[in-house]
Amino acid sequence: MSAVADRARPAARGALRIVAGARQRHDTGGVSPEPYLLGGQPSELERLRLQSLVWEPTGRRLLSTIGGGSGGRALDVGCGAMGWLRILAEWVGPSGRVVGMDIDEGMLAAARSFLEAEGISNVELVVDDLFDSGLEPRSFDLVHARYQIAPLGRGPEQVAAHRRLLAPGGWLVLEEWDLASWHFNPPAPAAERLIASLAEIFARLGGEAGRALPGLLRGIGVEEPGIDAHVIALEPGHPYLRLPLQFSAALESRLLETLGEDELASLRREAETELAEPGRWGTTFTLIQCWGRLDG
């Protein structure tokens, strides 16, 4: 294991990976018209960095399944403050190049600080809008996007935009969630009610986007997309247990469309108390990974 991988481990300490579902191996910027649902919130930088660290091992495992990318050119769509930038930089190696793109200049500034601190020099960051991209078409050997479809709810259009950026024979890698496994043990009623309210918001947009990924890839010509699924067990005190509270801050205006201010404030207070109780652990939502190679 590389020194870079070792540095990632302490930040996600206490996370135990549980793999669910079958794996199928494949043989062979500007401002978006509909802004990212979770964008522009002060809590996002902290949440996205933690998210990247928690899920980084599953991304590294997927890249090892695809195989070597030395000398290639890879794109991380909506990379935020970290995304897949580190593991893609490792995957393409010193002779390759990674582009991290986002419409949020503040997030890219945070990503730039991260890259400088890590000494990663083969990554370029650009402000770009996927739906009106200034990036060169058919120029990437791998395009990756995580948790972009559920918040935007424009799956077919997004996947078509990704396809335009892929070189012949390039890999498209998508990651989305399935919320069914997102629970606490023993049960935390207030935190789980927050999760249910958040799920209603996403259902109005992308819904359970993870379940839709194989169909989306088949729609652009990938006959047998690879599929994998991951759930992480979070030990008591793990910071990722607080994700419902972080989401509730980022999506407060949406939540207030169905919850009163007092009700939302009460749920947050109760959830804070629940998640601080000794011994309470949880399971994340399921991360669905889907990937495929485009021959033409």
Side-chain angles (χ1 to χ4, degrees), residues 43-279:
S43 63
E44 276 302 275
L45 178 58
E46 177 186 355
R47 184 185 70 81
L48 289 173
R49 280 179 170 163
L50 175 61
Q51 171 177 279
S52 295
L53 290 167
V54 166
W55 293 111
E56 194 172 60
T58 64
R60 187 173 281 109
R61 177 174 175 174
L62 191 154
L63 288 174
S64 70
T65 297
I66 288 175
S70 180
R73 182 171 160 84
L75 172 66
D76 195 9
V77 177
C79 64
M82 179 179 169
W84 264 32
L85 297 179
R86 174 160 55 187
I87 61 174
L88 286 175
E90 296 173 14
W91 188 69
V92 302
S95 61
R97 198 71 182 165
V98 176
V99 174
M101 66 93 95
D102 205 293
I103 63 171
D104 188 325
E105 294 189 28
M107 287 294 174
L108 292 179
R112 188 169 294 108
S113 296
F114 165 75
L115 295 171
E116 290 172 356
E118 292 287 319
I120 298 172
S121 60
N122 60 344
V123 176
E124 174 188 2
L125 300 174
V126 298
V127 177
D128 192 65
D129 177 359
L130 177 66
F131 302 110
D132 186 24
S133 180
L135 298 173
E136 183 180 353
R138 299 167 67 87
S139 63
F140 292 96
D141 301 298
L142 184 146
V143 171
H144 167 261
R146 177 170 60 197
Y147 308 145
Q148 300 290 309
I149 293 173
L152 290 177
R154 301 167 67 179
E157 187 180 354
Q158 288 169 263
V159 173
H162 297 146
R163 191 187 197 287
R164 286 194 292 272
L165 295 169
L166 273 172
W171 292 94
L172 178 57
V173 179
L174 300 177
E175 298 182 298
E176 291 291 336
W177 58 53
D178 182 324
L179 301 181
S181 61
W182 197 4
H183 294 294
F184 302 95
N185 306 281
E192 301 218 15
R193 186 169 174 209
L194 277 178
I195 290 173
S197 297
L198 294 165
E200 290 175 5
I201 294 172
F202 289 120
R204 294 195 291 268
L205 294 172
E208 293 286 8
R211 302 181 189 185
L213 291 183
L216 288 172
L217 264 66
R218 291 188 184 99
I220 59 170
V222 178
E223 293 185 2
E224 296 184 19
I227 305 169
D228 208 350
H230 304 267
V231 176
I232 295 177
L234 303 170
E235 294 180 353
H238 193 288
Y240 209 46
L241 286 171
R242 293 177 51 81
L243 187 60
L245 290 164
Q246 293 174 323
F247 270 152
S248 76
L251 296 172
E252 180 172 323
S253 62
R254 296 278 186 140
L255 287 169
L256 290 175
E257 293 174 5
T258 56
L259 299 174
E261 289 187 20
D262 291 344
E263 184 179 13
L264 179 57
S266 177
L267 279 176
R268 284 173 170 160
R269 286 193 301 270
E270 292 173 21
E272 287 274 11
T273 300
E274 291 170 346
L275 298 180
E277 290 178 359

